[in-house]
Amino acid sequence: MRILFSFSHVFLALSLTGCAGFAINNQPPPPSSISVVVSPPTASIRAGDTFQFSDTVSGTTNTAVTWSVGGGSSTLGTISASGNYTAPDSLPNPNIITVRATSAADSSASGSSSVTLLNPTPVLTGINPASVGAGSFTLTLTGSKFVNGAEVLFGTAALQTTFASSTQLIASGTAPSAGLYAVTVNNPNPGGRASGAVNLQVTGSPQASNCSTMSLGQGASLGGFVPFPPDSLWNEDISSAAVDPNSTAIINFIGGATGMHADFGGGQYLGSTIGIPYLIVGAQQSQVTINFTAYGSESDPGPMPIPVTAPVEGYPNPGTGDRHVLVLDNSNCFLYELFSSYASGNSWNVGSAAVWDLFSNEQRPYTWTSADAAGLPIFSGLVRYDEIAAGQIRHALRFTLQQSRAAFVLPATHWAANSTNSLAAPMGMRLRLKASFDVSGYSSTNQVILNALKKYGMIMADNGSNMFLSGAPDDRWDNTGLHALGQVKAADFEVLAASQTYTSSNIPQGNAPQVTSFTASATSVSAGTQVTLSWQASGASYVIVSPEVGAVRGTSVTVTPAQSTTYTLYATNAFGRTTSAVSISVH
């Protein structure tokens, strides 16, 4: 035992001192000479697609590799033993992942490819219905690879789109006229791409399905209906439109420190409601005679479905101001607007009146007024509470300035100049809230308004107080909250460039509509007999038959004259009005 103990100690000593040829190598092993390269080094792959990667292994005869994706989660996709990668059906966040090949001979040797995952290309296989009438419509689209945020395009116009599933979308919009239109689906970025097109046949017969969603009553909800087609200048997204070179000078002329003011609210001020009211009526509302006291030659004739009890601007004490009356008909989808309105028995005495087809981009004749000084519809530019409740305003807003010059830009058609200064606004001038303006400190209500001013802007429509924003009265408004909009100054806006400014020297010229026939199925009838009036008119934006009928679409209408009556057809477009008359004798 003593000898063995001594030998072991000697051996240990030799080992520690490195004697008798014994040595310990404490250095790390040399680096591996094995390398792995993955091809391609970068790739862009759409969700659900497959892609074949390849590898090159050098420095060893064992060229086998193990493929892997990111952290190995199936949400990043899968890859086979041969390098065939399958992207996930939905994009991960972030959407950049790594595909790696690791050497079987040396696990420290690997190569990789950086992969950007993109949304898939949508596949559109069908639309239902395949044919709709001119006007509002709703489509169900079927296919595959639709993603949340997909947008349906009607020609080049974007439709209001609801994502139902990866195989179904619901879209609604307005067809301005008959024809064959290409419908496509566009998936959003990253990798936004459109599907192939499926054609939608639009016939000449209008339909009012969306308009009928408007509720009845004063200040009622439109149920998501947006007046005028998606390509209307009122509904145009101007968030990236060019700025007028004179924007700064024009804003300074207005007064850069001038605060915006909400010219609407809840309750009353000095005994009058605050804002411009509106009323929605239905098919049960009878037609009412309209008598003109001022601008009859530039007005649309009645009758109109406007009850004499309709709210007048400023009610219950409207005073002697503009006294606007706005009425929408949810059965025929026309908008009626009166100026300087006074009920008289069962009729209205008004300064002017205008009818607007909510399905079309109707334009009043150049230089004609409307119920607004700019020749514009008023209702389409109002801030309404039902939109605030829905969380989004999808149109431009209406505002006033103290000074304007003798000029207009579309969609305006009329001026009411009170200044000769070249920096005074033309009617129809559009302002946009600067994209850099921080809305986060404002109430949710005000944020909806301010975001709309960034996307759609506001259109100068009348002479009035500077930077006054128009809206409809509603007792649900928080007046204190609306007052905070005064913190938004004119200098926070920019003037948008107009494609053309019209003055007395360059008013567009063209042909008024041509009426080739206006006839009655019978010209002598007994009382209570129905008669069909028919017409052929070319170049008309809208048609009115007076008396008894009012605004009408199509080429015929049935009347029941109670007494001998002369009916007049009024066909109007941007260049004027043409009339034709036919008389029916009642015996």
Side-chain angles (χ1 to χ4, degrees), residues 173-184:
T174 303
S177 59
L180 195 64
Y181 295 85
V183 175
T184 55

Side-chain angles (χ1 to χ4, degrees), residues 221 384-393 444-445 448 476-477:
S221 171
R384 309 191 318 268
Y385 194 87
D386 67 313
E387 295 177 297
I388 299 298
Q392 186 180 22
I393 295 173
S444 58
T445 291
V448 172
R476 292 171 291 182
W477 290 120

Side-chain angles (χ1 to χ4, degrees), residues 291-301 350-353 364 368-369 570 577:
N291 304 309
F292 294 102
T293 60
Y295 303 101
S297 62
E298 296 181 15
S299 291
D300 292 322
V350 304
S352 67
R364 298 189 66 68
W368 281 27
T369 188
Y570 298 82
R577 170 183 290 157

Side-chain angles (χ1 to χ4, degrees), residues 305-580:
I306 303 177
V308 294
T309 56
V312 178
E313 181 181 8
Y315 76 93
N317 298 295
T320 58
D322 288 345
R323 297 181 64 100
H324 290 119
V325 171
L326 313 183
V327 170
L328 299 93
D329 181 353
N330 76 355
S331 62
N332 292 310
C333 231
F334 284 104
L335 165 66
Y336 304 87
E337 299 191 342
L338 309 179
F339 163 74
S340 189
S341 315
Y342 294 83
S344 177
N346 292 322
S347 64
W348 286 94
N349 294 333
V350 304
S352 67
V355 176
W356 302 92
D357 185 343
L358 296 178
F359 287 155
S360 75
N361 286 324
E362 171 197 326
Q363 178 190 310
R364 298 189 66 68
Y366 289 108
T367 74
W368 281 27
T369 188
S370 63
D372 218 348
L376 291 169
I378 297 172
F379 178 81
S380 54
L382 297 183
V383 180
R384 309 191 318 268
Y385 194 87
D386 67 313
E387 295 177 297
I388 299 298
Q392 186 180 22
I393 295 173
R394 294 185 287 153
H395 57 82
L397 301 177
R398 175 188 187 271
F399 81 110
T400 62
L401 292 174
Q402 288 182 354
Q403 298 186 64
S404 66
R405 58 190 173 99
F408 61 79
V409 298
L410 294 178
T413 59
H414 181 262
W415 61 69
N418 59 9
S419 175
T420 57
N421 193 303
S422 62
L423 294 177
M427 288 293 178
M429 184 182 76
R430 199 169 196 145
L431 300 188
R432 176 180 64 203
L433 185 62
K434 292 177 180 178
S436 60
F437 187 87
D438 184 4
V439 305
S440 62
Y442 290 84
S443 68
S444 58
T445 291
N446 288 344
Q447 286 189 36
V448 172
I449 296 171
L450 295 174
N451 285 329
L453 291 173
K454 288 186 176 184
K455 185 172 183 178
Y456 301 101
M458 59 183 183
I459 296 175
M460 198 283 214
D462 200 356
N463 299 320
S465 298
N466 276 340
M467 302 297 290
F468 269 43
L469 189 66
S470 301
D474 195 296
D475 286 340
R476 292 171 291 182
W477 290 120
D478 176 2
N479 292 343
T480 301
L482 291 176
H483 186 71
L485 290 173
Q487 300 169 23
V488 185
K489 308 302 181 183
D492 296 317
F493 289 82
E494 50 202 356
V495 181
L496 299 189
S499 59
Q500 181 67 60
T501 300
Y502 296 107
T503 66
S504 58
S505 64
N506 65 343
I507 297 296
Q509 302 297 313
N511 296 321
Q514 182 179 7
V515 178
T516 54
S517 67
F518 182 43
T519 61
S521 59
T523 56
S524 181
V525 298
S526 58
T529 302
Q530 289 189 335
V531 178
T532 299
L533 303 177
S534 302
W535 58 88
Q536 292 295 324
S538 60
S541 298
Y542 60 102
V543 170
I544 294 171
V545 176
S546 184
E548 189 177 335
V549 179
V552 63
R553 300 182 184 90
T555 58
S556 66
V557 69
T558 299
V559 296
T560 309
Q563 58 189 10
S564 295
T565 305
T566 297
Y567 292 93
T568 302
L569 176 76
Y570 298 82
T572 308
N573 68 10
F575 302 107
R577 170 183 290 157
T578 302
T579 63
S580 183

